[in-house]
Amino acid sequence: MHTTHIQIRDPFILRVDEEQLYYLYGTTDANPWTGKAQGFQAYRSHDLEEWEGPYSVFTPPPGFWADQQFWAPEVHLYQDAYYMLASFKAENKPRGVHILKAQTPLGPFVPISETPITPPDWECLDGTLHIDEDQQPWIVFSHEWTQISDGAICCMPLSIDLRHALAPPQYMFTASQSGWSVSNTGDVIVHSGENYVTDGPFLHRTLSGKLLLLWSSYSSSGYAIGLARSQNGHIHGPWIHDPQPLFAQDGGHGMLFYTWQDELMLTIHQPNTVSFERPCFFSMEEIGDSVHIVNRI
């Protein structure tokens, strides 16, 4: 399949060097908003243009707590295994980020615990894994606007085996603090008043040692990706926001990765419309403590 034929939201690329392959994960149910969720599928490619697949990498096992809105899987190689962080929902239960594990990039991925890693009474989504300079694992995730109105990006330290939180989550920032996020939740209405979205956090350490955070919200021109940087290089921040989004053309939920040629790339989904979204790739340039889009490939 060519990239333009793949319907996917929240794309995430895992580069597997020994196979010389890129693996593409994301939200792959035809309609991820309503009905019973099916699971996650993945694709693989040598060149980011032509893809093999889809391959089924996760199907909910009997007794799994969630049955709807399976969103935004990320897969990270950690301690000689592949770990998936993904968002799940069930009727009358808050959305949570669950961690799964497999021995190969194509799974099958199985839960490493019975319950989500995020707080049981919080509405959460879009967990990403961050390993700090002391090799301490963290989960960074969104506390949803659906519960708190002004959506937040949070961090929480995890045990080495990723099975337990070591401390309560801490707020890194809220969407309204960015200066560019506007009160807009697309066509989703949960409660009245001002509501600001946060989703899709992803951390990147620059060659100069700065810690950057990509995240998505709505700007004055639609769904967009913002860029924040930690003032002290640590996950606690404080976090300083670029005044304008990195990308604001009806696309978002991005992540950065390096090709085998050491070229920095950004992938997002665009447009932000169900059944029309596709994975898009951009060449990036890293200058000092920031990254910039060079061109779309």
Side-chain angles (χ1 to χ4, degrees):
M1 298 179 68
H2 191 269
T3 303
T4 54
H5 298 151
I6 296 176
Q7 179 192 346
I8 199 168
R9 297 180 65 84
D10 319 318
F12 187 90
I13 292 291
L14 171 71
R15 192 185 82 182
V16 179
D17 293 354
E18 60 267 29
E19 298 180 6
Q20 289 288 288
L21 287 170
Y22 301 101
Y23 285 80
L24 170 65
Y25 306 89
T27 303
T28 50
D29 282 349
N31 186 340
W33 304 100
T34 61
K36 186 175 181 179
Q38 303 301 308
F40 295 124
Q41 297 179 322
Y43 301 82
R44 62 185 184 184
S45 171
H46 289 283
D47 59 10
L48 301 174
E49 294 182 7
E50 298 294 333
W51 299 86
E52 300 173 351
Y55 301 96
S56 178
V57 295
F58 172 73
T59 302
F64 188 61
W65 69 274
D67 61 0
Q68 57 188 267
Q69 297 181 355
F70 291 6
W71 294 350
E74 294 192 1
V75 175
H76 300 261
L77 178 61
Y78 173 74
Q79 292 196 337
D80 299 322
Y82 295 92
Y83 286 86
M84 174 184 285
L85 291 77
S87 308
F88 301 92
K89 179 79 171 126
E91 194 70 27
N92 299 318
K93 290 185 179 180
R95 189 188 322 281
V97 177
H98 213 118
I99 300 179
L100 307 93
K101 181 180 179 180
Q103 295 304 313
T104 73
L106 292 181
F109 285 86
V110 296
I112 65 173
S113 61
E114 294 185 0
T115 58
I117 194 70
T118 46
D121 56 344
W122 283 24
E123 292 281 352
C124 303
L125 80 168
D126 295 352
T128 189
L129 182 65
H130 172 66
I131 310 299
D132 70 15
E133 58 274 16
D134 297 319
Q135 299 305 301
Q136 169 64 52
W138 296 77
I139 182 174
V140 176
F141 63 93
S142 297
H143 190 182
E144 284 201 85
W145 68 269
T146 55
Q147 188 175 44
I148 61 173
S149 295
D150 192 359
I153 300 294
C154 304
C155 62
M156 188 167 62
L158 302 181
S159 58
I160 296 300
D161 61 6
L162 309 185
R163 293 177 183 271
H164 308 286
L166 298 182
Q170 305 168 48
Y171 276 25
M172 298 161 68
F173 59 83
T174 63
S176 66
Q177 291 175 325
S178 68
W180 61 264
S181 177
V182 299
S183 178
N184 183 356
T185 61
D187 58 0
V188 180
I189 300 174
V190 176
H191 43 72
S192 61
E194 291 195 344
N195 300 294
Y196 298 83
V197 168
T198 49
D199 68 32
F202 181 82
L203 292 122
H204 171 74
R205 182 78 66 179
T206 68
L207 297 177
S208 63
K210 300 294 184 180
L211 186 61
L212 307 183
L213 176 68
L214 274 63
W215 65 288
S216 296
S217 186
Y218 284 89
S219 71
S220 58
S221 59
Y223 195 47
I225 297 176
L227 182 66
R229 59 185 50 79
S230 172
Q231 203 166 28
N232 59 14
H234 301 294
I235 197 167
H236 299 295
W239 290 87
I240 308 301
H241 297 267
D242 281 3
Q244 298 298 324
L246 176 69
F247 184 90
Q249 300 172 34
D250 191 34
H253 200 115
M255 60 86 63
L256 296 165
F257 66 98
Y258 285 98
T259 68
W260 291 300
Q261 292 76 36
D262 290 326
E263 181 182 9
L264 186 63
M265 302 285 291
L266 168 73
T267 183
I268 67 171
H269 74 251
Q270 188 196 36
N272 191 40
T273 305
V274 173
S275 79
F276 294 100
E277 58 273 84
R278 298 292 184 269
C280 302
F281 295 93
F282 300 84
S283 297
M284 303 294 291
E285 184 178 33
E286 188 175 294
I287 301 177
D289 63 351
S290 191
V291 292
H292 306 273
I293 294 175
V294 177
N295 60 270
R296 183 169 179 166
I297 67 168

